[in-house]
Amino acid sequence: MNDADEAPSQMDIFRHKPALEIKADLCSKDLWRKFHSLGTEMIITKAGRRMFPTVKVRVQNLDPETSYIIFMDILPVDDKRYRYVYHSSQWTVAGAGDPPLPRSTYIHPDSPASGQLWMAQGVISFDKLKLTNNRRPVVRGQVSLHSMHKYQPRVHILRTHDLDTPAEAQVLVALQSLKKGTVPNPDLYTFSFPETKFTTVTAYQNQQITRLKIASNPFAKGFREASKPSRNADESSRATFSMYSNNQLFCPPHGLQPDFRSYSWPPPAPINTPIKFVIPPSPTLMPFRSHNYFADFPYPPHQTNALFSGFAKPLEALDLSAALK
């Protein structure tokens, strides 16, 4: 007996090795759970809007030498339409839903690829997918959905040996096996994650969702910076007079709007003429605002210092009686 007959090759061992069950794990599960506890909302537009959080998965136990098509579809949770009730901060049924749109499938652009390549990626992201309310999207990568409906994404892994037939055609055939009364496709693996359920909107309804998206989305840096008070704004919020020239001219305190129509600002030299300030709307200053009173602050500034003695006083604490005589 030859040694070759006694010792099987490594390829033969691999082929006869029992196949492990293919698994897919959701990434950023904690973030998805935060949104899910509030009721996740996803914006849809005509041009298409990317999802946040993004559906990302890690796959395991793929055959390294077999090709796979990985895709995602988004199905309605039920046949109802919803509306958001603001006083109770809850979604409620508003009536019958619209029939599902046909284009609800997104094929990962790397498909088909070998199992070795898929697992080498680590994280398989569907970040290029865009949600649209256009019933006939013309841009690749868009998924058509109805507004104010609830949806559940599903991730599919399709094992294929046909590299000639387009992936779109193979996906359509494979999805037919998921319908009731049909024979399941042994090459199709389907995964759904309850945390990824969402409601489609054209504008965010729940303000908590808006704040969480701004705080969590790395592309929302501009919104986060705009929501933070700047250092200059914080300094100007104090009723503090900053000197402009020779300790003679002062900037107006926060809340008082200077009337520049009859004055040039800043002046070329210290002035002794009054500068008019409009009383801003405030509950404590309502009598002054309702009667259109104006406060004339005369110069030289020692009168102003007497009126606004000290620094960092709130506007309501200032005595305006001397200015309104």
Side-chain angles (χ1 to χ4, degrees):
M1 182 178 295
N2 298 331
D3 294 340
D5 297 334
E6 296 178 355
S9 64
Q10 293 294 328
M11 182 60 66
D12 292 334
I13 293 176
F14 178 81
R15 287 175 178 173
H16 293 88
K17 183 179 179 180
L20 297 177
E21 182 182 0
I22 294 178
K23 296 182 180 180
D25 299 320
L26 178 66
C27 301
S28 304
K29 186 175 293 186
D30 292 339
L31 180 61
W32 274 106
R33 287 174 177 172
K34 289 181 181 179
F35 279 98
H36 183 67
S37 65
L38 300 174
T40 310
E41 301 175 15
M42 294 290 179
I43 294 285
I44 60 175
T45 63
K46 290 293 183 183
R49 180 72 66 87
R50 294 187 180 184
M51 297 175 62
F52 185 84
T54 303
V55 177
K56 301 178 182 179
V57 296
R58 294 180 184 271
V59 296
Q60 303 177 39
N61 303 330
L62 299 182
D63 185 344
E65 297 186 356
T66 302
S67 296
Y68 297 88
I69 299 173
I70 297 182
F71 62 99
M72 186 173 80
D73 65 349
I74 303 178
L75 297 182
V77 174
D78 49 36
D79 57 352
K80 297 178 178 60
R81 181 181 178 88
Y82 292 82
R83 67 182 180 90
Y84 189 76
V85 182
Y86 290 94
H87 69 270
S88 62
S89 300
Q90 292 181 347
W91 287 94
T92 183
V93 177
D98 299 314
L101 295 173
R103 301 194 179 186
S104 60
T105 304
Y106 173 82
I107 301 176
H108 195 280
D110 293 340
S111 298
S114 66
Q116 182 179 1
L117 291 178
W118 286 121
M119 291 187 292
Q121 286 189 20
V123 175
I124 301 173
S125 176
F126 294 89
D127 56 339
K128 300 295 179 62
L129 182 150
K130 292 185 177 181
L131 306 180
T132 179
N133 53 4
N134 190 350
R135 299 196 174 192
R136 294 183 178 180
V138 295
V139 179
R140 185 181 181 89
Q142 289 185 343
V143 172
S144 300
L145 304 176
H146 292 294
S147 179
M148 296 298 181
H149 288 62
K150 290 188 177 182
Y151 290 93
Q152 173 67 63
R154 299 186 305 179
V155 177
H156 306 271
I157 301 177
L158 176 62
R159 182 169 51 225
T160 179
H161 302 281
D162 185 1
L163 301 182
D164 297 327
T165 304
E168 291 81 2
Q170 297 187 56
V171 165
L172 290 177
V173 174
L175 287 177
Q176 297 296 323
S177 65
L178 295 178
K179 295 183 178 181
K180 294 182 179 180
T182 58
V183 179
N185 188 340
D187 293 328
L188 181 64
Y189 301 83
T190 300
F191 306 89
S192 62
F193 309 97
E195 303 92 337
T196 59
K197 187 186 303 181
F198 62 86
T199 304
T200 52
V201 295
T202 55
Y204 291 124
Q205 306 295 303
N206 189 344
Q207 295 301 317
Q208 297 183 69
I209 291 291
T210 305
R211 289 192 289 268
L212 184 57
K213 292 216 176 191
I214 292 176
S216 306
N217 193 341
F219 296 100
K221 180 180 178 181
F223 291 96
R224 289 194 295 270
E225 292 179 350
S227 62
K228 294 181 181 179
S230 63
R231 181 178 179 180
N232 294 335
D234 182 65
E235 293 176 355
S236 63
S237 63
R238 305 173 183 176
T240 309
F241 284 76
S242 59
M243 291 178 290
Y244 173 73
S245 173
N246 299 327
N247 298 329
Q248 302 262 336
L249 189 60
F250 295 86
C251 296
H254 175 65
L256 298 183
Q257 306 298 326
D259 183 357
F260 298 127
R261 289 175 295 179
S262 57
Y263 301 96
S264 60
W265 193 275
I271 58 176
N272 293 322
T273 57
I275 294 181
K276 183 181 293 184
F277 293 88
V278 180
I279 302 298
S282 173
T284 58
L285 300 177
M286 187 61 67
F288 303 117
R289 187 177 66 84
S290 60
H291 291 85
N292 296 322
Y293 285 108
F294 295 92
D296 294 328
F297 293 87
Y299 289 86
H302 67 272
Q303 300 179 22
T304 309
N305 291 336
L307 181 61
F308 297 99
S309 59
F311 293 94
K313 278 191 174 183
L315 181 61
E316 286 74 6
L318 303 178
D319 182 9
L320 300 179
S321 59
L324 297 174
K325 291 182 178 179

